[in-house]
Amino acid sequence: DAPTASNNASPDALTDAPIDATTDTQTDAPTASNVASPDALTDVTTFAPTDTPTDTPTVDVQYQDAYKAVSSFIDDSWQLDNPTTPYSMALYWMVYTDGLSINPIAQFQHFKQRYIAVLFWYTTEGVNWSGESNFLNSATHECEWNKMHPDEREPRGILECDYDKNIVKLQMYNNNLAGSLPMEFGKMSDKMESMNFSQNNIGGNIPESIGLEMDKLTKIRFSKNNFSGSLPQSFSNLSNLEFMQLYENILTGSVDFMCGIAMDRLDVECYEIECTCQFCNKNNCD
């Protein structure tokens, strides 16, 4: 047999048996990095990589888009970088657990509403809520995150949404909510009309964003919790507010900046909050 064009074998090597191209590579073949002697050229095998090199890290575009979207409406985006914060856990749920797979760019408003509802579950320690509310059901729209409790007249959870599926009514009274409301809570839905958080253990400050973003609110029940600090001045923007309960918290300061709103009643704690508005109703004065 004649040597191939690429071989330069010695005359002695040409007398060897013909090479069968169908046989496997010999086990004593040199590696691709070795320089073979002329006698070994018939056994040289070219090794090509079988996989794409992994030196460059894979970019999770879905997570990146969601991260950017959330960063645009939360106050402290650094919390997304700490995997133990409610903000980061809510983001992870939206990207990797949620069955609806909402596009954070094309469906930004829906994405924001659902994210803040999930964030609310994490910041108020939803895992310890006393009753089922269907929250974090990854297969359903958040407008269906509610459930009737035994011996109750109304279910708890997100009770009502409008035609465009914006949240209108949230009822979570006496459900063992703890922790605090996220400061971005008011950005959940600018169509919100009623919220009831009475008889829980929610602490921290009442979010200023409620007064800035939820100007359609007519009823607010914050009574019998552990809210502290003062009522945000932004609540003076709630011109549609008819009724609000603030008693049995740890609130201080004055709410007289609310006097310009044509409310029916504002229930406050007698010795904690100053209120001289004609609609103020002071509780526990004895």
Side-chain angles (χ1 to χ4, degrees):
D1 294 328
T4 62
S6 61
N7 289 342
N8 191 20
S10 65
D12 293 339
L14 297 178
T15 60
D16 292 340
I19 298 173
D20 186 352
T22 63
T23 60
D24 295 334
T25 304
Q26 296 183 18
T27 58
D28 59 350
T31 63
S33 60
N34 291 339
V35 178
S37 65
D39 291 340
L41 289 177
T42 57
D43 294 327
V44 171
T45 301
T46 300
F47 295 96
T50 57
D51 297 314
T52 303
T54 58
D55 292 339
T56 303
T58 302
V59 176
D60 189 334
V61 176
Q62 184 182 11
Y63 183 88
Q64 266 193 350
D65 288 345
Y67 184 102
K68 290 177 182 177
V70 173
S71 297
S72 72
F73 60 79
I74 66 172
D75 295 335
D76 299 313
S77 59
W78 62 266
Q79 298 205 56
L80 297 175
D81 300 323
N82 183 342
T84 65
T85 67
Y87 290 82
S88 179
M89 290 187 285
L91 177 61
Y92 188 93
W93 188 93
M94 291 290 294
V95 174
Y96 299 113
T97 303
D98 190 10
L100 297 193
S101 300
I102 302 168
N103 188 307
I105 299 174
Q107 300 168 284
F108 177 76
Q109 290 300 327
H110 185 194
F111 178 87
K112 181 173 71 169
Q113 174 174 271
R114 193 169 176 89
Y115 172 83
I116 296 178
V118 175
L119 177 62
F120 162 69
W121 186 88
Y122 278 106
T123 63
T124 57
E125 303 176 14
V127 69
N128 296 319
W129 289 358
S130 59
E132 292 290 334
S133 59
N134 210 29
F135 257 71
L136 269 60
N137 185 331
S138 63
T140 64
H141 194 283
E142 61 272 18
C143 289
E144 299 177 38
W145 288 358
N146 58 72
K147 191 170 183 178
M148 180 66 74
H149 287 217
D151 303 322
E152 296 287 352
R153 292 175 297 176
E154 289 185 301
R156 289 184 181 87
I158 297 171
L159 297 196
E160 185 180 338
C161 289
D162 64 13
Y163 180 80
D164 295 319
K165 294 190 174 182
N166 299 299
I167 298 173
V168 171
K169 187 175 183 179
L170 179 61
Q171 182 152 285
M172 300 301 301
Y173 72 92
N174 194 23
N175 204 43
N176 201 39
L177 275 66
S180 61
L181 296 179
M183 297 313 294
E184 298 80 9
F185 182 82
K187 300 177 183 180
M188 181 190 296
S189 171
D190 60 3
K191 309 300 182 185
M192 187 78 76
E193 296 178 6
S194 175
M195 59 175 69
N196 186 349
F197 295 121
S198 64
Q199 301 180 59
N200 283 291
N201 298 300
I202 307 172
N205 294 329
I206 294 174
E208 182 183 23
S209 61
I210 293 175
L212 296 174
E213 307 284 346
M214 293 180 165
D215 60 358
K216 290 181 173 56
L217 276 168
T218 60
K219 295 179 177 64
I220 300 175
R221 289 177 170 86
F222 286 151
S223 58
K224 299 184 179 181
N225 277 282
N226 295 311
F227 288 113
S228 59
S230 58
L231 187 71
Q233 292 276 339
S234 63
F235 272 55
S236 62
N237 298 324
L238 303 179
S239 58
N240 295 302
L241 196 60
E242 300 170 359
F243 175 82
M244 182 163 63
Q245 290 180 333
L246 298 175
Y247 62 91
E248 293 190 34
N249 280 286
I250 320 173
L251 294 168
T252 58
S254 172
V255 294
D256 280 352
F257 57 85
M258 303 286 290
C259 292
I261 301 175
M263 292 180 63
D264 293 331
R265 197 173 82 202
L266 173 54
D267 292 338
V268 298
E269 191 73 13
C270 187
Y271 299 109
E272 291 183 355
I273 297 179
E274 180 182 349
C275 185
T276 62
C277 307
Q278 61 180 2
F279 48 74
C280 285
N281 179 46
K282 296 186 178 182
N283 289 263
N284 301 321
C285 292
D286 297 334

